[in-house]
Amino acid sequence: MIVYLEKRNLRLLQLAEHLGEIINTSEVSEELEPFKEFVRSQCKDLSQNIKRNLQLLQIRKNVGELIVSNDPANDFLKEILGETRKVNHWLFRLSEYYAPPILRAHPHDRLSLNIIGWLHRSNPDTEIYPPVVNSGTVSMDPLGIPPVYYFPVVEQHGLLYQPLIIHEYGHFIYKLHKQEMDDLVVELQEDALYLLQSSRYRNDLYSSLQAQTRLGIANTWYAWTQELFCDAVGLVMGGPSYLFAFSSYLHTLQESDFRREPDMLKGSIHPPRWLRVQFLARRAESLNLTDVAKEIIGEWENVKSMLGTTEDYYGYYSPDLDKTIDETIDDMLVESNPRPFDMDEISASQWDLTCTPILLLNLAWQIYRDGPNTYENWERKILGKFIS
Amino acid sequence: MSKAWLAANNIERTYRILSSINLLSIHAKLKLLKSESPIDKDELIQSQNDLLSFMSELAELLEKADKRDNHTILGTDPQMGQLATRLRDEITHRSSTRHVSRLMIEELPNLITSEKENEIRTLIHDLDQLRFLMEQYSYADMVTIFGEGWA
């Protein structure tokens, strides 16, 4: 076993050092430079950890010859195996998640990198984390901190859908405040259990199944609350641009936007989209964005009516929960303190490089809505300033 | 966010805690063997802090759940909830043989810094039990993220 672990760690060391070398010699834009530095130092730490494993194996060899008896307390090979597993996973994470955005960087990344960098700098909790983006479904890499943001290729080349990045940023600030946020979710979960199930309570053989359903609903609301929080972060920071981007990008014009079967609801991560739109619209109204809220709701209602579909949440949601949910999200926003948009940013008619990305994204939507045909030329000029 | 996202978050947490357990365990064993430990002091303190705060989070979840009528574990991600449930089962069914027990959770802070040989041995045993529990429950998440294999 010692020989095997030695061989394994030596191979991992070769790979870690090779990765460090190719990261070191790669050329990236100035926006990506801090992340490259982070990955380089990760490679160094990883190599040191592997070297320590080799050192521990050497100690085990020496100690083993002298002392190791039948007493299991004297042996620590199992622990070295665990540490080898750790560095194996660490290398996987670096190679699969962190290296590609550096080694496959593209000039078009710079727009998203600028926006992510600005978002991170907008809050003292996130300002130290370097921005990084890769191509893929709108999401955030789940492994570790700093997070890798994923954004689809075509959307990455334009301005209109960039506000969706703010939703992903919401997941990041949730992660940084996880304990406090989770504490806030408890109350909501308790209310959900009480309000959604109490009227159907039974005390017979069926009750254990019912208990499982209750737990399923509570667990589902754990994830749903986080998603609604991230939507709220998108709106509070991005203003109307987030509502327009969200509604336009996520509306698939299918029945599943409005309802899902119970099996699809149980353990799901995202609330049905129509529910998300309604929560967003209500919050938009509270931010004096009433016209935008009405417009979006109107569009969704039209599609809903054309599809002839009705809402049914099968016990997973009731409007009775709205007040608790809205209050929980309000508390989460206070806890995490995302920077809110200001009125100048959503009403400006000019942009230059000294303005915030929030102003730019709202201006983009305004110009697009005023004249979709002339929008592309305007956008091309703006993008040129980022990519040059 | 996706199911894989929750699972991956959990894997990161599991690796961190397992590594803390391993480093503390190696350090304790080398102490018994009177051999010098190559583990950096800062890293050792970080491992102690990580493990203790993780255990106290678990204990708090169980305490709050005990106060609820239905003993449901709420206010955490489903993965942490599952681990807390498993820990509760261990405590309920196996505490007499000193598997993972409430006593262990309470004693851990003292054991970690103890210099007494019998307490170091208890610590090594407890860390071994904790490692077993963590490794068992994290398997499902590994499959969610990495699948059953790469090829």
Side-chain angles (χ1 to χ4, degrees):
Chain A
M1 191 61 187
I2 295 179
V3 175
Y4 173 75
L5 286 176
E6 240 173 10
K7 246 170 50 184
R8 189 72 193 249
N9 275 284
L10 281 169
R11 178 62 188 144
L12 287 167
L13 185 60
Q14 285 173 345
L15 291 171
E17 287 181 342
H18 181 64
L19 184 61
E21 228 173 87
I22 51 179
I23 293 290
N24 212 15
T25 53
S26 62
E27 284 185 18
V28 297
S29 64
E30 58 179 305
E31 292 89 350
L32 201 53
E33 201 56 60
F35 183 72
K36 178 180 155 180
E37 188 49 46
F38 165 79
V39 177
R40 201 160 46 184
S41 87
Q42 282 276 303
C43 289
K44 216 182 275 176
D45 289 350
L46 173 61
S47 297
Q48 274 169 4
N49 262 255
I50 300 171
K51 283 175 188 163
R52 187 179 60 200
N53 286 350
L54 291 164
Q55 201 181 347
L56 284 167
L57 282 164
Q58 193 55 47
I59 293 174
R60 170 60 183 77
K61 267 189 202 169
N62 298 340
V63 166
E65 285 165 13
L66 297 170
I67 305 170
V68 169
S69 64
N70 290 333
D71 184 353
N74 280 344
D75 200 359
F76 48 92
L77 262 186
K78 202 191 280 180
E79 287 84 345
I80 305 176
L81 174 73
E83 286 302 282
T84 306
R85 198 161 46 206
K86 179 184 84 176
V87 292
N88 193 53
H89 172 72
W90 193 347
L91 178 70
F92 160 83
R93 189 176 69 195
L94 286 172
S95 179
E96 191 136 321
Y97 286 83
Y98 281 170
I102 297 172
L103 301 176
R104 300 188 180 278
H106 188 276
H108 271 104
D109 298 344
R110 295 186 67 189
L111 174 62
S112 300
L113 284 171
N114 267 285
I115 292 170
I116 295 167
W118 182 87
L119 289 170
H120 284 196
R121 287 192 303 277
S122 74
N123 188 322
D125 294 331
T126 55
E127 66 183 345
I128 60 164
Y129 299 104
V132 53
V133 70
N134 202 353
S135 301
T137 308
V138 182
S139 60
M140 197 185 85
D141 142 51
L143 294 168
I145 287 176
V148 178
Y149 292 77
Y150 286 84
F151 209 56
V153 174
V154 175
E155 289 77 2
Q156 202 179 328
H157 284 217
L159 288 164
L160 295 178
Y161 296 108
Q162 300 280 341
L164 297 174
I165 288 177
I166 311 175
H167 173 101
E168 301 309 321
Y169 174 69
H171 284 299
F172 183 32
I173 52 179
Y174 190 104
K175 195 169 180 170
L176 294 178
H177 292 264
K178 186 172 184 300
Q179 188 57 60
E180 298 83 359
M181 300 299 222
D182 282 356
D183 287 345
L184 290 168
V185 176
V186 175
E187 212 173 307
L188 194 155
Q189 287 179 306
E190 282 172 341
D191 276 10
L193 287 178
Y194 176 74
L195 285 167
L196 302 178
Q197 289 292 315
S198 58
S199 59
R200 303 178 189 177
Y201 188 74
R202 295 169 63 139
N203 188 22
D204 54 18
L205 283 175
Y206 185 70
S207 63
S208 72
L209 184 64
Q210 202 176 44
Q212 275 182 10
T213 308
R214 286 154 62 91
L215 187 60
I217 290 175
N219 277 338
T220 303
W221 267 103
Y222 175 81
W224 284 15
T225 310
Q226 188 173 152
E227 291 300 331
L228 293 177
F229 162 73
C230 295
D231 284 344
V233 171
L235 179 63
V236 165
M237 294 187 83
S241 70
Y242 181 75
L243 255 186
F244 291 130
F246 177 93
S247 180
S248 167
Y249 187 77
L250 289 182
H251 202 168
T252 62
L253 312 177
Q254 296 182 70
E255 197 176 350
S256 59
D257 286 343
F258 298 93
R259 60 178 289 164
R260 286 188 228 144
E261 293 304 306
D263 283 354
M264 301 294 284
L265 288 168
K266 187 183 174 187
S268 61
I269 300 295
H270 297 87
R273 286 167 177 162
W274 172 227
L275 201 56
R276 292 172 71 182
V277 169
Q278 291 175 81
F279 273 95
L280 269 174
R282 200 163 50 243
R283 188 165 292 278
E285 282 182 20
S286 75
L287 296 171
N288 291 324
L289 302 174
T290 310
D291 291 347
V292 182
K294 279 187 180 150
E295 183 183 326
I296 299 290
I297 285 284
E299 284 172 4
W300 280 69
E301 270 176 345
N302 283 341
V303 175
K304 185 178 153 207
S305 140
M306 193 169 285
L307 291 173
T309 188
T310 52
E311 296 165 63
D312 192 342
Y313 300 100
Y314 301 98
Y316 279 76
Y317 165 76
S318 146
D320 295 342
L321 268 177
D322 286 354
K323 189 169 173 285
T324 311
I325 296 168
D326 285 337
E327 284 172 359
T328 304
I329 305 294
D330 288 345
D331 291 342
M332 288 175 157
L333 289 170
V334 171
E335 174 64 41
S336 55
N337 196 23
R339 173 203 180 275
F341 68 84
D342 67 44
M343 291 315 278
D344 291 343
E345 286 173 320
I346 64 170
S347 55
S349 56
Q350 293 291 324
W351 177 86
D352 63 48
L353 281 167
T354 62
C355 300
T356 67
I358 301 301
L359 187 150
L360 174 62
L361 299 175
N362 280 287
L363 180 61
W365 271 101
Q366 190 189 310
I367 290 175
Y368 173 73
R369 282 155 56 77
D370 286 349
N373 295 333
T374 54
Y375 173 76
E376 281 209 8
N377 279 340
W378 177 85
E379 185 184 62
R380 204 167 291 135
K381 278 184 208 153
I382 298 286
L383 292 181
K385 293 181 184 175
F386 281 99
I387 296 158
S388 60
Chain B
M1 190 169 69
S2 64
K3 284 180 185 170
W5 197 89
L6 285 174
N9 259 320
N10 189 45
I11 287 176
E12 288 303 300
R13 178 172 56 207
T14 305
Y15 268 109
R16 200 180 65 245
I17 301 306
L18 278 173
S19 182
S20 298
I21 291 171
N22 286 330
L23 295 183
L24 290 170
S25 181
I26 291 171
H27 186 74
K29 288 179 178 180
L30 289 175
K31 220 190 280 185
L32 280 184
L33 292 165
K34 300 193 178 5
S35 180
E36 203 179 323
S37 167
I39 300 163
D40 182 65
K41 197 180 168 193
D42 288 345
E43 201 175 355
L44 215 52
I45 291 170
Q46 185 65 51
S47 298
Q48 289 176 359
N49 293 342
D50 279 352
L51 182 61
L52 291 177
S53 74
F54 176 73
M55 294 306 288
S56 100
E57 191 185 338
L58 273 176
E60 199 180 324
L61 282 175
L62 290 180
E63 206 181 304
K64 284 182 184 166
D66 281 349
K67 288 178 188 158
R68 284 187 195 99
D69 290 344
N70 47 22
H71 301 294
T72 316
I73 292 168
L74 301 175
T76 189
D77 52 279
Q79 282 78 2
M80 188 72 169
Q82 275 167 23
L83 178 63
T85 307
R86 189 182 273 258
L87 181 64
R88 182 165 59 194
D89 290 349
E90 286 280 332
I91 289 168
T92 312
H93 301 299
R94 304 168 77 176
S95 58
S96 59
T97 52
R98 199 184 170 84
H99 282 264
V100 178
S101 66
R102 275 205 197 282
L103 185 65
M104 177 198 288
I105 297 170
E106 286 160 16
E107 285 180 356
L108 209 53
N110 292 332
L111 292 177
I112 279 179
T113 50
S114 176
E115 294 294 329
K116 293 178 189 158
E117 187 176 328
N118 62 327
E119 290 186 346
I120 295 174
R121 283 184 184 279
T122 309
L123 172 68
I124 289 168
H125 177 267
D126 286 0
L127 291 173
D128 200 44
Q129 294 298 317
L130 274 178
R131 183 195 304 113
F132 181 73
L133 178 77
M134 296 289 294
E135 283 178 348
Q136 288 287 302
Y137 110 104
S138 63
Y139 174 72
D141 287 329
M142 302 285 181
V143 174
T144 305
I145 296 296
F146 306 121
E148 289 174 6
W150 280 275

